Amino acid sequence: MNRRDFLKGATSLSVGASILPLFKVLPASAASQETAVVVIGGTINSLDIHRSGTNRDSYQVAINCYDRLVSFGTKQMPDGSLSYDYDNVAPELAESWEISDDGTVMTFTIREGATFWDGKPVTAHDVKWSLDRAVSLGGFPTVQMKAGRLESPDQFEAVDDRTFRITLPFPSKLALPDLATPIPIIINSEVAKANATEADPWATEYLHRNPAGSGAYKVARWDAGQQLVYERNDQWVGGDVPGYQRVIVREVPAQSTRRALIERGSVSASHNIPNKDAKELASKPGVKVVSTPIENCIYSLCTNLDFEPFKDKRVRQAVAWSIPYQKVFEQAAYEQGVPMWGGTNTVDKIAWPQKSPYDLNIEKAKALMAEAGYEDGFDVPLSFNLSHADWAEPAALLIQQGLADIGIRATIEKIPGANWRTVALVDKKLPLHLENFGGWLNTPDYYFFWAYIRGNLFNSYNYDNPEMAQLVDDTLDMAMDHPDYAPNVTRMIELAFDEIPRIPLWQPTLNVAFNDSVEGYEYWFHRQMDIRALKPA
């Protein structure tokens, strides 16, 4: 099929989606040896991961359409499934690299023959422009880069066309793995500069709709709110050529429809399926379900310290003692994952996540409410992301009942997934909300960096403690075998549980269902579908 015919087909699919039932839009023949069809419950709101407000479902574009200097290797899980390997940093756009003896200078050699989609060779100058952009635009990308001490354009140098150098202010255990996250994508700087303006020097408006990468797939079509169509880049040199010529990602908000599509074999995969479906589909003929524990991730109830009652930690503790955890785990998680309540009163290990000391204790919760002067309770909205309704809605209903038992009158508020990131994480104005942050780099101090430092994206509840901030700053770059590392992390966990701005519920699994004609799936910490590894069985 030539490109014109392919795009005609994609157009037909888009038009059909608006006038036909989805079963007819995606017949069994839609998924084939050349084409994979993946359904997701969320929505893609931008093709530029550096753009302010880009949501999690959109990260897949950075993964599949762009290269980074490095990636992570692959390991086999105990159940035989595949996962990224955090302990094995692997080449991607860089064919090799060297780190100075003092750990402050990293020198990368760009892979020979690497080209952008328009045929232009990828050079170290493109790498510099791209990383300059990541540390300069602000917001989530800039803070993510900062986690690896990548903070200023002055740190990046294009030595020649194929040699790129990074200079760190001091050694950091996170610097190299940070380059393997979705953020430090390499952009065709010539294309970007040609579409930049004085008001938009980093071409955010252009790249929002027009990726300019060197990655394994190009975007052939994007119909916002409906579908994204990927077309394979046969000139990709960053890894093995992907198994599918094209991949259609369809946005299907109704989980019952997504389940029906995978059950009848109409699609290749359904990503991030609910726990209930994962349990039930695992025994269905023709369907494979892969469930992987999400490292460094906790589903949590967050209490915003800008909301007057939650400024008192006794009220936050009361909320933590009011939650019917076991019912939440049974009815929202379908007992998939790891419980994060009912732990010991002392922190005697630094493994993260770990169970908090809280459990359901209404009398203790009422006593704390009275002690704080809120024996008559108060009114508060309880918000969740509508894209996560499969677990968040039953959890919210049960939490609402527990809060009512201690006098807190919670009104449930459902926020569309396309708006969640801005409302919850950027504006940080939701008084009480369910969140599901998972740290990309698998260390406890990295989790606390994102979730407990005021202003950082996933501190959606405005927690601010100078002692916590100092502990994180002291520990983030520290080697994990340093004698101060374990005591510092222990104290972070003690503070998190005592001040409890973020109440742990459970550690989740990521569930993906496949037609048995598909293989190659690999779990990644970013929780998005890496379509590059998929191939016909």
Side-chain angles (χ1 to χ4, degrees):
M1 180 183 288
N2 63 34
R3 180 176 173 83
R4 172 176 288 183
D5 290 339
F6 167 55
L7 290 176
K8 282 175 63 181
T11 304
S12 299
L13 179 63
S14 175
V15 173
S18 66
I19 61 176
L20 293 174
L22 194 57
F23 286 132
K24 293 181 180 179
V25 174
L26 297 176
S29 59
S32 67
Q33 290 293 103
E34 286 193 351
T35 302
V37 180
V38 177
V39 290
I40 63 173
T43 188
I44 297 166
N45 71 355
S46 179
L47 306 185
D48 180 9
I49 196 170
H50 293 168
R51 193 171 191 263
S52 177
T54 298
N55 64 10
R56 182 178 291 151
D57 289 298
S58 305
Y59 296 172
Q60 62 171 281
V61 178
I63 297 151
N64 296 309
C65 293
Y66 288 96
D67 287 321
R68 284 140 294 277
L69 287 171
V70 295
S71 182
F72 289 112
T74 301
K75 65 182 179 182
Q76 190 171 59
M77 301 294 283
D79 65 356
S81 64
L82 299 178
S83 169
Y84 87 104
D85 183 359
Y86 182 76
D87 296 323
N88 178 18
V89 178
E92 191 163 273
L93 188 58
E95 64 183 23
S96 62
W97 60 89
E98 296 179 356
I99 300 176
S100 63
D101 291 342
D102 66 359
T104 63
V105 179
M106 299 186 291
T107 305
F108 299 86
T109 301
I110 307 302
R111 194 181 294 272
E112 190 170 7
T115 61
F116 291 108
W117 300 328
D118 63 2
K120 174 192 170 298
V122 181
T123 72
H125 306 284
D126 297 297
V127 178
K128 174 168 172 56
W129 187 89
S130 301
L131 298 196
D132 285 356
R133 184 182 197 257
V135 300
S136 299
L137 271 174
F140 168 56
T142 296
V143 181
Q144 177 62 52
M145 296 291 282
K146 183 179 179 180
R149 301 306 178 183
L150 309 169
E151 303 181 52
S152 168
D154 294 339
Q155 294 177 252
F156 310 133
E157 179 188 0
V159 179
D160 56 42
D161 282 353
R162 290 190 56 217
T163 308
F164 179 71
R165 181 175 296 148
I166 296 174
T167 302
L168 302 172
F170 40 78
S172 172
K173 68 177 182 292
L174 299 182
L176 187 61
D178 201 24
L179 292 171
T181 69
I183 294 300
I185 56 174
I186 309 307
I187 300 166
N188 187 329
S189 61
E190 288 188 4
V191 169
K193 289 175 184 177
N195 289 279
T197 65
E198 185 175 348
D200 183 21
W202 298 109
T204 56
E205 286 306 308
Y206 176 80
L207 292 170
H208 165 55
R209 291 191 170 275
N210 303 277
S214 58
Y217 281 95
K218 312 171 190 179
V219 170
R221 183 183 183 94
W222 178 38
D223 299 306
Q226 296 183 51
Q227 68 174 357
L228 183 69
V229 181
Y230 292 104
E231 181 182 15
R232 187 172 63 200
N233 171 23
D234 289 323
Q235 308 307 313
W236 187 50
V237 298
D240 295 334
V241 175
Y244 286 102
Q245 176 66 34
R246 63 196 63 83
V247 178
I248 302 168
V249 177
R250 290 286 303 175
E251 298 177 12
V252 183
Q255 66 189 55
S256 59
T257 305
R258 297 197 304 275
R259 173 168 175 162
L261 287 167
I262 195 70
E263 278 192 284
R264 63 172 281 168
S266 298
V267 298
S268 309
S270 182
H271 183 259
N272 197 14
I273 63 173
N275 289 322
K276 178 178 183 291
D277 289 351
K279 288 187 75 170
E280 295 173 356
L281 287 173
S283 60
K284 296 283 185 179
V287 179
K288 298 179 293 187
V289 176
V290 180
S291 296
T292 311
I294 302 174
E295 294 174 337
N296 219 4
C297 181
I298 311 172
Y299 281 8
S300 305
L301 178 67
C302 301
T303 57
N304 196 325
L305 275 67
D306 281 359
F307 182 67
E308 187 61 35
F310 293 147
K311 291 179 180 179
D312 191 323
K313 81 172 181 180
R314 292 170 298 185
V315 176
R316 303 194 298 269
Q317 290 172 344
V319 172
W321 288 114
S322 76
I323 296 172
Y325 294 95
Q326 184 62 39
K327 287 185 178 179
V328 171
F329 191 58
E330 291 171 356
Q331 297 180 33
Y334 287 85
E335 299 182 278
Q336 298 274 97
V338 182
M340 284 291 121
W341 71 91
T344 61
N345 291 324
T346 58
V347 178
D348 52 13
K349 59 183 179 180
I350 64 168
W352 189 258
Q354 63 176 265
K355 294 180 178 181
S356 84
Y358 298 92
D359 205 336
L360 178 61
N361 190 326
I362 295 298
E363 293 308 311
K364 183 177 286 191
K366 285 181 176 179
L368 285 163
M369 290 286 286
E371 186 180 324
Y374 288 101
E375 57 273 356
D376 295 328
F378 51 85
D379 297 300
V380 64
L382 169 54
S383 308
F384 68 83
N385 183 342
L386 200 52
S387 294
H388 301 151
D390 61 283
W391 68 267
E393 187 160 20
L397 289 168
L398 290 165
I399 290 167
Q400 181 187 46
Q401 294 169 17
L403 292 172
D405 288 340
I406 63 172
I408 298 177
R409 298 169 293 279
T411 303
I412 293 178
E413 179 182 55
K414 306 174 184 180
I415 297 178
N419 302 335
W420 178 261
R421 190 180 186 88
T422 298
V423 175
L425 304 183
V426 178
D427 294 343
K428 305 180 188 299
K429 292 180 179 178
L430 300 179
L432 185 64
H433 54 283
L434 290 162
E435 241 300 309
N436 64 339
F437 169 62
W440 281 354
L441 304 181
N442 194 23
T443 67
D445 43 305
Y446 177 82
Y447 186 98
F448 284 93
F449 168 80
W450 274 110
Y452 289 86
I453 302 301
R454 186 175 178 88
N456 284 1
L457 187 69
F458 297 102
N459 181 350
S460 55
Y461 32 87
N462 297 296
Y463 174 73
D464 189 16
N465 182 316
E467 183 185 1
M468 177 72 83
Q470 189 62 56
L471 285 164
V472 171
D473 192 57
D474 290 345
T475 311
L476 196 62
D477 307 292
M478 189 181 289
M480 296 178 76
D481 58 0
H482 190 283
D484 292 336
Y485 184 82
N488 284 6
V489 171
T490 298
R491 181 57 182 156
M492 291 180 208
I493 298 172
E494 290 172 347
L495 286 171
F497 287 164
D498 177 54
E499 303 202 328
I500 205 66
R502 186 181 195 100
I503 302 167
L505 301 175
W506 76 91
Q507 180 185 10
T509 58
L510 178 65
N511 309 308
V512 186
F514 293 94
N515 186 300
D516 61 9
S517 65
V518 181
E519 63 183 22
Y521 167 74
E522 183 175 328
Y523 162 81
W524 280 83
F525 57 88
H526 44 63
R527 290 182 268 170
Q528 299 306 308
M529 181 74 83
D530 185 344
I531 63 173
R532 301 173 298 178
L534 301 182
K535 57 187 177 182

